[in-house]
Amino acid sequence: MGSTIRDVAQRAGVSISTVSRVLNKTASVSEAKRRRVTEAVRVLGYTPNPAAISLLKRATSTIGVVLPYISGEFFAELLRGLDDTVQEYGYLLMVSAWHRNAQEFRAALQSMYRRVDGLLVMAPGLTTALESELIEEGCPVVCINTPVTEGQCDVFNFDNYGGMYALTRHLVERGHTRIAFITGPNTERDAQDRLHGYRDAVTHCGGDQSKKLEFAGNFSVECGYEAASKILDMDPRPTAIIGANDQSAQGALRHLLYSGIRIPEDISVAGFDGIPSTRYSTPTLTTVHVPIRGIAVRAIHHLLRLLSNEKSPGGHVHVLPLEIVIRESTGPSPHI
């Protein structure tokens, strides 16, 4: 009996899917793995029969999506954009969440490999070790809002730093010198970029740089609500609050309203992301608009070009600019 593809994979020390990618040139594989597979094929004298070739070339017509969460408005909007786009091209989505836990991230990746044609990953807290695991199988990967090493895989990020800098500068220009900031998770790159944008803006534009104005948060409504309670106890009290995302800003908004604070006459409130509900809150929320659906469409189109061999993985980072949407929740400082 002749050698099988499983024998080739075992001798080369790689997965069967990696052997198929080398033999059919359907995706990028590291040079070291390609050499091991080629050598194993030569030594074993492996020749796939026509049925095996057909099996190896068969696509799953499925795109894998790995997200830190799959709940909340931001991710609902992202998934709608992804699903609508892949369906236009006859694909299905396979979705998994990793809840910002390294072990769950590995499990999510393993559940996807061999079952999808390509991967789209959002991992704001990606580490170097996890990044290596992400690309080692050779499956085409496109990332969204993820810190990756240049040259590894293509990534579409939005300008978290620039968006928050612009929002903070806008409030300082309206006379707000004491601006409280509700942070996001300190392990997340996007949260840190927004924090740095806030800090640099108050420094460059003449705002109060006190670290006492920064309140720890985790992107939740609850953290915003709790932070607002502490902010109201400050003396002198800040005249504006920025949430690192819309949910924390909405939490702060609720506590202020329950406490009888007028918005924006007493305190202005702003968020970040531009989730749909910000258009309907009372008052409507000023925010930095992230084109959630737009980035989903761009990322999927790019991944499909990789799958069709129209484009080679370039390891490029594409940064999308953001814009401020001014609504009812912000106004001039009451001290002007």
Side-chain angles (χ1 to χ4, degrees):
M1 181 177 178
S3 299
T4 67
I5 188 173
R6 188 179 298 277
D7 297 328
V8 173
Q10 185 173 3
R11 184 177 183 88
V14 299
S15 66
I16 293 174
S17 60
T18 297
V19 175
S20 73
R21 293 182 185 110
V22 171
L23 295 178
N24 294 285
K25 301 178 181 179
T26 55
S28 175
V29 177
S30 69
E31 181 61 23
K33 287 186 177 181
R34 189 193 66 77
R35 285 199 301 267
R36 296 208 304 269
V37 170
T38 302
E39 177 64 12
V41 168
R42 185 188 67 79
V43 171
L44 296 174
Y46 172 70
T47 303
N49 59 39
I53 294 174
S54 176
L55 179 62
L56 290 174
K57 289 187 175 182
R58 185 177 65 192
T60 67
S61 295
T62 302
I63 299 296
V65 180
V66 180
L67 301 174
Y69 298 112
I70 54 175
S71 61
E73 287 185 69
F74 180 94
F75 292 103
E77 190 75 5
L78 180 68
L79 283 170
R80 274 196 294 269
L82 296 174
D83 190 47
D84 289 346
T85 307
V86 299
Q87 285 195 36
E88 291 177 12
Y89 294 89
Y91 281 82
L92 297 174
L93 284 186
M94 179 181 292
V95 182
S96 183
W98 63 287
H99 303 101
R100 296 180 163 91
N101 176 283
Q103 193 169 9
E104 289 186 10
F105 185 77
R106 294 186 180 97
L109 292 182
Q110 290 302 317
S111 71
M112 295 289 182
Y113 290 138
R114 306 182 189 91
R115 301 171 66 187
V116 300
D117 297 334
L119 274 174
L120 193 145
V121 174
M122 178 182 282
L126 190 71
T127 63
T128 302
L130 290 179
E131 182 183 347
S132 298
E133 295 181 35
L134 173 64
I135 63 174
E136 70 178 3
E137 287 287 338
C139 181
V141 178
V142 172
C143 295
I144 294 178
N145 201 36
T146 298
V148 297
T149 305
E150 183 128 5
Q152 296 292 348
C153 59
D154 292 301
V155 58
F156 290 83
N157 285 344
F158 33 87
D159 190 2
N160 291 289
Y161 172 90
M164 187 58 77
Y165 186 102
L167 176 61
T168 307
R169 181 180 61 191
H170 167 76
L171 290 174
V172 174
E173 290 173 348
R174 300 302 303 275
H176 298 280
T177 56
R178 282 182 60 78
I179 303 173
F181 187 82
I182 305 168
T183 71
N186 58 17
T187 57
E188 305 294 317
R189 172 68 177 273
D190 54 350
Q192 290 305 298
D193 285 346
R194 295 176 191 186
L195 176 60
H196 293 151
Y198 157 79
R199 286 177 175 173
D200 286 352
V202 294
T203 299
H204 300 158
C205 302
D208 190 331
Q209 303 171 43
S210 173
K211 294 298 187 291
K212 293 181 179 180
L213 291 169
E214 297 175 9
F215 295 83
N218 58 9
F219 284 158
S220 69
V221 172
E222 292 78 10
C223 79
Y225 192 95
E226 293 171 5
S229 176
K230 298 174 183 177
I231 290 168
L232 288 181
D233 290 335
M234 298 184 75
D235 186 20
R237 196 166 66 187
T239 61
I241 300 172
I242 298 176
N245 73 337
D246 287 333
Q247 285 190 286
S248 58
Q250 288 173 326
L253 197 69
R254 291 181 188 180
H255 190 280
L256 296 177
L257 291 173
Y258 291 158
S259 302
I261 302 298
R262 298 174 303 161
I263 302 170
E265 292 85 359
D266 299 327
I267 299 180
S268 289
V269 180
F272 197 112
D273 282 338
I275 59 178
S277 64
T278 59
R279 301 194 297 268
Y280 308 107
S281 61
T282 304
T284 56
L285 185 67
T286 292
T287 185
V288 177
H289 175 67
V290 175
I292 302 171
R293 182 181 179 86
I295 201 170
V297 171
R298 289 187 61 172
I300 287 294
H301 282 168
H302 191 81
L303 182 57
L304 293 178
R305 286 196 293 272
L306 294 179
L307 294 176
S308 63
N309 294 319
E310 291 181 17
K311 188 173 181 63
S312 299
H316 299 303
V317 177
H318 309 269
V319 180
L320 280 65
L322 306 179
E323 63 178 11
I324 306 172
V325 179
I326 308 299
R327 297 199 180 108
E328 298 168 344
S329 66
T330 55
S333 168
H335 300 322
I336 291 180

